[in-house]
Amino acid sequence: MQVPSLSISRRTRFTPFSRRVQAAGVKAYTIYNHMLLPTVFNSVEEDYRHLKTKVQVWDVACERQVELWGPDATRLAQMLTPRDLSAMTEGQCYYTPMVDETGGMLNDPVTTKLAEDKFWVSVADSDLLFWIKGLAHALRLEVDVDEPDVSPLAIQGPKAEELVARVFGDDIRSIRFFRYRHVSYQGRKLVLARSGYSKQDGFELYVDGSDLGEPIWDALMAAGEDLDVRAGCPNLIERIEGQLLSYGNDMTRNNTPHECGLGRFCQTQAAIGCIGRDALLRVAVEGPVRQIRSIAIDGDPVPPCDELWPVIGGGKQVGTVSSAAWSPDFRTNVAIGMVRMTHWDDGTRVQVDTPHGMRSATVWETPFTVQGG
Ligand code: THG
C-alpha cells in the first residue's frame, strides 16, 4: 500500500528555518501547533546516534510562545498551573503542567519569566492560546495574550555547549539547567535557555523575529563544521528512553498531572488561584490509580505506535502503550505507557498487544537513561 502524503496549504505553517531544513534533506515532518516539525533527517536511528555523540540544530519553531504581558500576567499564569509560581524569578524557566477545572491536562509547556509582568508559555501541541485568551477576556484581566513572532531553535547534544559558546561567547557555559540569559546577535537581544526536548545537554534560543532565522541557522552551521553539526529534530527513540512525554500521544485531557508522573511539578496546595486546584486536591487524597511508566517490550523491533496498544496482566487489560521504538543502545523496544497500580511496580512482567502480536514486556518506574544500561 502506498503511504499517503500530506496536502500542504496556507494552514500548514512554515517556520523561519523551513528553507534551511528542506536544504538539509529533511525526510519527514509532523504537524505540531499547525506548523511543520521535522521528524527524520537520515533515519531515526542514525539521527539518534548523532544526537547522542555530536550536536544538532533543531527547528522547533512549532513550540509557539503564548505571551502574557501586563499587570495581571502573574495572576493569569498561576490560574493555568498547579505549579507554585510565587518564588519564580526573572531568568527562570519552569516545566508547567497546565490543567482545566477537572484537573485534566491541557498542555505541558515550559513557562519562562521575562519580567515581573511578562511570561512566555512555550506550548506543546494544543491550542492553549484560545483557553488563555478566553480566561483573560472573561475575567477582564489587565493582560495582553498573544502569539509573538518568536521561534525556538534548539541546539542539542554533548557538543552543544561548545557550539553555542563559539557563536554567543564563553559566558553561556555557566547558564544552569532551566535558566536563561540574554545574548546578543546582530545587535538584537535574544533569550538563550539551557533546556530542550532531549536528555543530552543543550540550549534553546528563542529567535525573536523571523528575519533572524536563517542568519542564526547559518552561523551555527558554519561555527560547528568541525564538530559535525547537523540539522536534527526531537528524536523518538531518545525521548522515549528519557521518558519525555508528548502531549496528545502519552497524555490527554483525560489525565491528571499525577497520572502523567508530573506530580513533582505540582504544589497544588500552594498554587492559590489555579483553576484545577480543587479538583486536583480532591484526587490527590486517594492518589492516581494509573500512571505513566517506561516499558521494555521484548523481541524484534515493533512498528510505529500510531494507536494505543493494550497492556495485559493476569489476562486483563491493565494499561496502554502510547509511544514505542527500537532502542539500539538498550537493545530492546523502549516504550511509554499508562499502567494500572496493580501492575506498575518496578520489574512487573506484562504482555503488550502490538500489531506484530503479543509481546512480553517489563514495567519500569524510571526512564531508561537512569536504569544504568
Ligand atoms: N522546550 C520548549 N518548549 C516546549 C518543549 C521544549 N514546548 C513543547 C514541549 N517541549 C513541552 N513538553 C516538555 C516536556 C518535557 C520537558 C520540557 C517540555 C523537559 N523535561 C525535563 C525532564 O523531564 O527531564 C525536566 C524539566 C525540569 O526538571 O524542570 O525538559 O522542550 N521551550
Side-chain angles (χ1 to χ4, degrees):
M1 194 176 73
Q2 205 190 322
V3 180
S5 64
L6 269 179
S7 301
I8 302 290
S9 75
R10 250 175 60 76
R11 289 184 297 97
T12 317
R13 301 192 285 179
F14 286 77
T15 87
F17 318 109
S18 287
R19 294 201 304 190
R20 293 296 187 265
V21 163
Q22 202 89 16
V26 64
K27 287 217 176 82
Y29 289 108
T30 187
I31 301 281
Y32 193 101
N33 287 325
H34 316 280
M35 193 173 251
L36 291 171
L37 169 62
T39 55
V40 186
F41 281 86
N42 290 319
S43 70
V44 176
E45 290 195 16
E46 275 180 68
D47 294 353
Y48 161 89
R49 178 58 50 225
H50 182 265
L51 169 64
K52 283 185 150 189
T53 51
K54 304 280 179 52
V55 52
Q56 298 182 345
V57 176
W58 295 0
D59 173 358
V60 282
C62 66
E63 296 168 354
R64 302 312 292 165
Q65 306 309 298
V66 177
E67 182 176 88
L68 318 181
W69 194 358
D72 284 330
T74 301
R75 184 175 160 215
L76 178 56
Q78 188 64 82
M79 293 176 74
L80 305 172
T81 179
R83 186 154 182 183
D84 178 15
L85 304 181
S86 61
M88 190 179 193
T89 57
E90 235 182 278
Q92 285 190 303
C93 318
Y94 277 10
Y95 184 36
T96 44
M98 294 199 167
V99 299
D100 66 12
E101 75 287 358
T102 73
M105 291 285 296
L106 293 179
N107 206 293
D108 67 330
V110 174
T111 298
T112 298
K113 184 164 182 173
L114 299 165
E116 279 311 315
D117 64 348
K118 189 173 180 182
F119 294 82
W120 279 345
V121 177
S122 185
V123 296
D125 188 23
S126 80
D127 294 310
L128 202 71
L129 176 70
F130 299 157
W131 163 252
I132 303 178
K133 283 187 83 73
L135 290 170
H137 175 75
L139 298 169
R140 302 273 182 271
L141 300 184
E142 226 181 300
V143 61
D144 281 332
V145 179
D146 218 328
E147 187 188 292
D149 176 24
V150 170
S151 296
L153 187 65
I155 302 98
Q156 301 285 301
K159 300 282 180 355
E161 184 183 292
E162 174 60 25
L163 176 56
V164 174
R166 288 182 189 180
V167 176
F168 298 103
D170 274 318
D171 282 358
I172 66 90
R173 295 184 190 272
S174 56
I175 300 177
R176 290 190 285 144
F177 188 56
F178 268 64
R179 301 285 173 137
Y180 74 83
R181 266 188 229 154
H182 286 107
V183 293
S184 150
Y185 192 82
Q186 292 180 353
R188 306 256 288 271
K189 206 173 100 178
L190 303 175
V191 169
L192 176 70
R194 193 157 210 145
S195 56
Y197 198 65
S198 86
K199 285 293 189 178
Q200 313 309 309
D201 189 22
F203 295 83
E204 290 178 303
L205 181 67
Y206 290 78
V207 176
D208 199 337
S210 290
D211 60 307
L212 284 178
E214 292 183 354
I216 289 177
W217 179 283
D218 293 343
L220 287 164
M221 288 299 171
E225 215 167 328
D226 61 310
L227 303 174
D228 191 21
V229 62
R230 292 187 200 163
C233 52
N235 183 274
L236 180 71
I237 310 167
E238 200 270 350
R239 76 112 182 140
I240 295 174
E241 288 179 355
Q243 214 182 76
L244 293 170
L245 303 182
S246 168
Y247 186 79
N249 284 319
D250 304 317
M251 75 279 206
T252 69
R253 207 149 48 81
N254 290 319
N255 302 115
T256 64
H258 305 283
E259 289 177 340
C260 301
L262 301 179
R264 66 187 185 283
F265 302 108
C266 302
Q267 299 81 30
T268 311
Q269 196 63 249
I272 310 286
C274 167
I275 288 169
R277 186 165 174 270
D278 290 351
L280 288 177
L281 288 176
R282 234 179 296 125
V283 300
V285 173
E286 306 214 340
V289 297
R290 55 182 180 177
Q291 200 167 49
I292 284 284
R293 285 292 181 270
S294 286
I295 300 173
I297 305 175
D298 298 350
D300 294 339
V302 292
C305 185
D306 55 9
E307 57 184 349
L308 294 172
W309 298 343
V311 175
I312 311 293
K316 289 190 314 203
Q317 182 166 355
V318 297
T320 50
V321 161
S322 46
S323 299
W326 173 260
S327 163
D329 281 355
F330 291 92
R331 304 205 56 74
T332 185
N333 295 289
V334 292
I336 293 173
M338 193 71 79
V339 180
R340 289 186 66 80
M341 64 190 302
T342 52
H343 290 75
W344 73 18
D345 287 346
D346 228 24
T348 304
R349 294 287 284 167
V350 292
Q351 303 275 108
V352 177
D353 192 357
T354 79
H356 286 185
M358 204 63 93
R359 295 286 185 87
S360 295
T362 311
V363 174
W364 297 107
E365 289 185 25
T366 49
F368 288 88
T369 41
V370 298
Q371 285 168 21

